[in-house]
Amino acid sequence: MLSLTDRDAVTAALTDTTLNPELRALIGLRVWQVDTDRRQPLGEILQIVVVHPGDPPEVIHDAIGFPVCWEQAEQPGWEWFNDHGSWFELAYVLTDDFGMLVFVPDHPDTDHTLRFNCLGFADRPPTTD
């Protein structure tokens, strides 16, 4: 689990070569798009949460602040959704001034309910397996 709530954490993530390059590019793009007023702390307008394969639902829910993994979760609770292939991006508008981006890996070890919900909204061509 990765939770980015300030510019230092974002910088650390962007320079962490162990993180997936596509994920780093997505984080960098979204922060660049949202962080227009450098005088305001980033954590007052945006939180980014990165789910990792194997993260248990309780850890995910603690980082996000509400349930997104279990069957009783209010799905889809996101404001908008993007399918980036190996990553799903869920955007939550929590107040008029604060939002959260959650990046979910399309990986077999990702929480099955969360991944299933994401795959259900992904606009992908059918596979021929």
Side-chain angles (χ1 to χ4, degrees), residues 32-93:
W32 176 77
Q33 290 172 326
V34 171
D35 192 18
T36 56
D37 184 357
R38 303 290 277 158
R39 296 168 294 164
Q40 184 177 16
L42 182 63
E44 291 182 6
I45 56 173
L46 178 67
Q47 178 182 0
I48 297 174
V49 175
V50 178
V51 175
H52 292 297
D55 283 345
E58 298 79 15
V59 171
I60 297 169
H61 297 164
D62 284 346
I64 294 174
F66 49 89
V68 296
C69 297
W70 296 316
E71 288 77 4
Q72 69 268 25
E74 296 177 17
Q75 294 291 346
W78 56 73
E79 191 73 22
W80 51 264
F81 169 92
N82 280 321
D83 177 6
H84 298 286
S86 58
W87 290 94
F88 302 110
E89 180 182 14
L90 317 176
Y92 296 90
V93 177

Side-chain angles (χ1 to χ4, degrees), residues 4-30:
L4 309 174
T5 58
D6 59 39
R7 289 181 187 90
D8 289 340
V10 169
T11 300
L14 295 179
T15 58
D16 182 352
T17 57
T18 64
L19 282 181
N20 175 282
E22 182 182 6
L23 174 64
R24 291 190 343 241
L26 288 169
I27 291 170
L29 174 64
R30 294 301 182 233

